[in-house]
Amino acid sequence: MRYKVSLHKQPKHTELVSCVGWTTPDEVISSGDDHQLLKWNLLSNEASKLVQLPDEVYPTDMHWFPRLGGGGKKAPGSDVFVLCSTDGKFLLISRSGRVEKSVEAHRGAVLSARWNHTGTDLLTAGEDGVVKIWSRSGMLRSTLSQNSSPVYSIAWGPDSDQVLYTNGKQLIIKPIQPNAKPSQWKGHDGMVLKVDWNPVNNLLLSGSEDCKYKVWDCYGRIMYVSSIHEYPITSVSWSPDGQLFAIGSFNTLRLCDKTGWSHALEKPATGSLFNISWSSDSTQVAAACGNGHVIFAHVIERRLEWKNYEVVVSDQKVIRVRNVTNDAKDNLDFRDRVIKASIAFKHMVVATSSQCYIYNVKNWNTPMIFDLKEGSVTLIIQSERHFLLVDNTSVYVYTYEGRMVCSPKFPGMRTDILNEQTVSLSDDTIAIRDKTDEKVIHMFELSTGKPLGDGKPYIHKIEVMEVYLDQCGTATERRLAIVDKNRDLYLTQVRVYGKDRKTVKLSTMINSLLWNDETNMLAALSEGKLLVWFYPNASSVDKDLISRTTYERETNEFGKSPQLLSFLGKQISVRRAEGSILTTSVSPYPSILHNCVTLGRWDDAVRLCRFVKEESLWACLAAMAAYGKQLGTAEVAYAAIDEADKVQFIQSIKEIPSKEARNAEMALFCGQSSDAEGILLQASLIFRAIMLNIELCNWDRALELAVKHKTNVDTVLAHRMKYLENFDKKETNKRFIQYSEGVDIDWEKIQAKMELEFKNERERPVASSGATARVK
Amino acid sequence: MADEALARAGLHFDELNKIRVLEPEISQQTGELRDECKEFLDKISEFQKIVGSFVDLIDGVAKEVEKEKMKAIGSRNLLKSVTKQREAQQQQLLALITEKKVQLERLRIQHESLAKEELEQTDFIEQFILQK
C-alpha cells in the first residue's frame, strides 16, 4: 500500500497553510496565514478562492461538522465548519464561505476545535490551557478543564462521552461528566503536538516534538512506538474506517497500519505538514504544507489475497487481478473511484463511489452491477452465498446475484463504527454487537432481517469486544464465538430451542480469533500459542473432549501481539506486529473428517481415523458421533481414546429398546437433562422420565410428573424414602410429606411394579426385544 | 623728442608707424603670452578629456569587479547550500531506503515462512504416498 501524491507546481497560498478539511470526497477547503479560504476541486484539479478572511484572522485549525446519517442519494456532505484563529475566536463558516458566527472563546490563540461524533457539541482548546465545550450554535456549555500550559490538540472518544487532550508531555483522558476523574499519563519525552482518537478501533494516536508517534489503547496502554524521525511529528490523523493512519512531519508523509507499522513513506518538498485530513471514504488524504502548498495523496495498491488469487487496487479506478496458479492477469477498470474491495468465498465484491460490482472468480469479465444507495461503503463482509455492505446509515445484505435480501436494524444502531470484529455474517444469520450497551449482541434471521427467536438480543455477562459466526453446517446448529472484555472466549448457540441458551467458555486471553471458511474449525491466538479447535461443538457434547480435540502450538516466531488474517482450508495466515505475514497450516485430516460426517459417511470417518491414528482425530469423531447420535461410531471412537466408562455407557444405551429412549439417554450423555426429559415426555415414556428425574435427584420434578400423569407416585415416594434413609435424614419437603400421608410403601411391591413398567415398555409396538441395562 | 613726449602721454608708434597705447615690446610679449595661454588651455582640455575617459573606464571596471565579486559570493553560498541540500536529500533518500529495507525484511520473513510451509507440505505428501 502506498500514496499516489499530487502536488501543484506553484503554491496557491502565499503564506503557510495551517488547516485543511474535506467537504465531499472530491472537494477540499484549505486555509492559511494569507487569510484565504481556498476550495480545491479534485476532479478538475483546480483551486479557487472561496473567501478572504479578515486580516486579524490567522487560522490554526478547522473541523467540518460531522456528516450524519439520513442523507439522500447524493448526500451533499457537511454544510458548516469551525475555524479557530490566533485572536482567541472561533468562526462558524458555511460551505459557501459565509462567516455565520464568530465567538470569543479563549485568551490567546484557539489551537484546536473538534465537533463530537453526533455534532451536538463542539470542543475547543486554547493557548490559555482551557478546554471548553460549546453548543452547536456556539453557546458556552461548560469548561472541561484548566491547565497550566497550552493545550495543543484535542479529540473526542468513540461515544462522545470522553475527551483526549494534551498538556505538555502528558496525555489526558477526561470524561465529560462533571467531577469525573481524568486519567493522565506521560505520553512522550517532548511536547505532544497532535492527538487523534478513532471511534471504530478505539485506539489513540499521538505525535510529539520528540520526533516519535505512538499508538495507545483507550486505557493508555502503549500499542506501538515509532522509531525517531528527523523532525518533530507535526500532524497525525486516523482514517475514518480505522484501518490506517497518516503521519506528517517536515517533508514527510507516512502511511501506517492501525497496528503502527509503516506501509509507505513519501518525502515531498512541502515543508512541515501542519494538518492532515482524510476523506470520508478513507481513500484520500489532504495535508496543509508549511510552504503554501496543499498536498493530496491517494492510497493505492491495497492488496488482497484469497487462495490463488491476488487482487491489487493499482490505481484510483483500476484493479489488477492475478491468478497465481496459471499467471492469468485481468485488469478491471471502473467508472468511479474504488472505495472498498473484498474477496472471499469465490467472489470479489468491489464498492466504488456509486456502484457495487460482484465478480465470480471464474469470470472476471461480466460482473453483476447495482447502484449503491449512498456512496460511501465503509465495510464489506462476505459469507458463502451472501455479503453485507455497511454505509453511513444502514447495513444491507445482498446475494452474489446482486439481489438485496434484507437490511437489519435495531434501535440505536450506529453503522459508522461497525468493523469486522463487531459484525458477523453467516449464510443464515447476522450478529451485530450493540454500541450503546456493549454487552448486547443483536442477532437477525438473514432471510427476513428480523431478530431471531423471541426477538430479544443475547446479553453477555460483561462487555463484548468481538463476535464471529461459524460459516458451515445448518442454521439450527449455528454458533457464535464471543470474545469479551477480559479476552475470554465463549461459544454460544444462535438459535435456541427449549428453555436456556447454552454458553460455554472455551478459553481465556484470546488475542485474535477466526472461523475456518470450509469447516467449523476455530483458530485463535492466545499468549504466544496458536490454538485450533477442530470441533468446537464438542463443548456441547462432552466437555472432557474439548481439550483433546484442540490443537495447540507454541508460536514464538509470531512475536508479540500477532493477528490472524485468514483461516482458509488448512492454511492459517498471521500478521506479526511489525507487519510481515506468516503462513502456517494445520493437519488436513480434521476437515476431511468433517466432510465425511456432514455427508453421513460414518464408516469412512472411522476408517480415516484408523488410518491416521491420531488421538485428536478420534476425539473429534467421538464428539461428532455422540452429537449425531451414532452409537456404534461413538463406541468405537470412545474406545480408541480409552474412555472405558463412556464406552460402557454407550453400550448400555444401545440395549435400550425404544429409539426415543436411546435418544434421551444420548442427550443425557451430553449433559442435556432437560432435553432428555423433553424427548421422553414427547414419546410418552412417562415412567422413564420419572425415573430419569429420580436418578438425577430432581425429586420435585419427579413428583410433579408422577402426580400430573397420575402414575407411579408411590415409586417416587419409595425412592425418596430410600434416598433419605441412606443419608439418615428426615423428610422436610412439604409436598412429599403431603403425598406420603396415607400411602403405604412396600419396597417389594414397588420393585414388582417397576418390573412391570419395563415389561410394558418392551412390549410397546415400536419397541423390539431387549432389557434395560440402565435402571436396575 | 616727439617720441618722448608721446611716450609720456602714453602713446607709442610701432614699426609700422601705427599709434599704440602699449609699448611695442610689451605688446609683443602680451601677444606671445596670449598665444601661450591658448595653447595651454587646449592642452588642459585635452588632458581633461583623457582623464574623463580614464575615470569612466575605471568606473566600468569597478562595476564589473563588484558584479563578479557578488557572483563569487553568491556561488560560494550556493555551493555551501548545495552541500546542505545534498545532505537533506541524502537524509530523505536514506529514510526511503530504510523504509524499503523494513519492507524487504517483512517480505523476507513472509517468504521464509512460505518456503517452510512448502517444505512441510511436500514432506507430508511424500509421507502420505509412502504410507499408501
Side-chain angles (χ1 to χ4, degrees), chain A residues 251 254 261-262 570 576 578-585 611, chain B residues 91-92 95-96 99 106 109-110 113-114 117 121 124 128 131:
Chain A
N251 278 359
R254 203 183 259 284
W261 55 277
S262 158
K570 55 194 179 57
R576 303 209 312 183
E578 100 291 344
S580 51
I581 301 168
L582 298 183
T583 312
T584 182
S585 62
F611 170 72
Chain B
Q91 215 177 30
Q92 290 192 358
L96 289 173
E99 189 69 20
R106 280 204 282 266
I109 292 171
Q110 186 174 358
S113 116
L114 284 171
E117 189 57 35
Q121 296 285 323
F124 177 82
F128 193 78
Q131 265 182 4

Side-chain angles (χ1 to χ4, degrees), chain B residues 75-125:
Chain B
S75 45
R76 198 176 297 160
N77 283 350
L78 213 61
L79 198 68
K80 265 185 206 161
S81 80
V82 159
T83 44
K84 262 189 195 154
Q85 246 176 39
R86 285 270 171 273
E87 261 168 38
Q89 256 172 12
Q90 195 182 8
Q91 215 177 30
Q92 290 192 358
L93 289 175
L94 275 178
L96 289 173
I97 288 170
T98 347
E99 189 69 20
K100 293 279 175 222
K101 266 188 188 158
V102 172
Q103 179 75 21
L104 181 69
E105 179 62 17
R106 280 204 282 266
L107 291 173
R108 193 190 62 75
I109 292 171
Q110 186 174 358
H111 180 256
E112 222 166 60
S113 116
L114 284 171
K116 200 174 132 202
E117 189 57 35
E118 191 187 3
L119 199 72
E120 273 171 26
Q121 296 285 323
T122 40
D123 274 3
F124 177 82
I125 291 168

Side-chain angles (χ1 to χ4, degrees), chain A residues 56-288:
Chain A
E56 68 274 11
V57 174
Y58 287 88
T60 53
D61 191 15
M62 79 160 64
H63 192 223
W64 280 85
F65 191 74
R67 259 183 73 179
L68 303 173
K73 186 173 164 64
K74 286 274 177 281
S78 353
D79 292 325
V80 68
F81 66 94
V82 58
L83 185 85
C84 38
S85 113
T86 50
D87 59 356
K89 288 181 182 164
F90 68 80
L91 312 173
L92 295 177
I93 302 177
S94 75
R95 201 177 172 188
S96 57
R98 200 166 60 86
V99 178
E100 287 181 347
K101 194 146 195 177
S102 167
V103 181
E104 193 78 46
H106 290 271
R107 287 178 57 209
V110 185
L111 294 174
S112 185
R114 285 284 175 275
W115 298 101
N116 71 356
H117 299 291
T118 49
T120 50
D121 290 343
L122 174 69
L123 188 72
T124 63
E127 249 175 352
D128 52 1
V130 182
V131 181
K132 289 178 176 172
I133 297 175
W134 307 80
S135 74
R136 161 85 175 78
S137 56
M139 303 293 287
L140 182 64
R141 281 231 171 101
S142 61
T143 299
L144 188 70
S145 130
Q146 292 186 333
N147 303 286
S148 48
S149 60
V151 173
Y152 282 102
S153 186
I154 44 178
W156 283 96
D159 301 321
S160 301
D161 58 355
Q162 292 179 87
V163 168
L164 166 71
Y165 58 91
T166 70
N167 180 22
K169 298 170 185 176
Q170 305 265 341
L171 290 170
I172 301 166
I173 293 180
K174 191 164 189 214
I176 58 169
Q177 300 98 318
N179 303 325
K181 214 172 144 30
S183 68
Q184 63 176 56
W185 68 95
K186 187 185 172 205
H188 287 268
D189 296 328
M191 198 76 91
V192 183
L193 296 178
K194 272 278 192 309
V195 289
D196 200 6
W197 193 340
N198 188 272
V200 177
N201 56 27
N202 204 5
L203 294 174
L204 316 180
L205 189 58
S206 64
S208 154
E209 273 186 347
D210 66 0
C211 306
K212 289 179 192 166
Y213 61 86
K214 297 184 181 182
V215 183
W216 313 83
D217 73 359
C218 59
Y219 305 105
R221 283 178 302 202
I222 188 115
M223 309 297 278
Y224 182 83
V225 187
S226 79
S227 57
I228 295 180
H229 290 62
E230 304 96 68
Y231 301 98
I233 306 297
T234 48
S235 49
V236 297
S237 180
W238 277 108
S239 73
D241 66 1
Q243 294 296 317
L244 301 166
F245 61 84
I247 295 292
S249 177
F250 179 77
N251 278 359
T252 303
L253 180 62
R254 203 183 259 284
L255 178 67
C256 301
D257 190 76
K258 67 173 177 213
T259 47
W261 55 277
S262 158
H263 273 291
L265 174 71
E266 288 289 334
K267 288 279 185 184
T270 53
S272 288
L273 301 179
F274 289 112
N275 202 324
I276 299 181
S277 175
W278 283 84
S279 66
S280 58
D281 55 14
S282 299
T283 58
Q284 301 166 88
V285 289

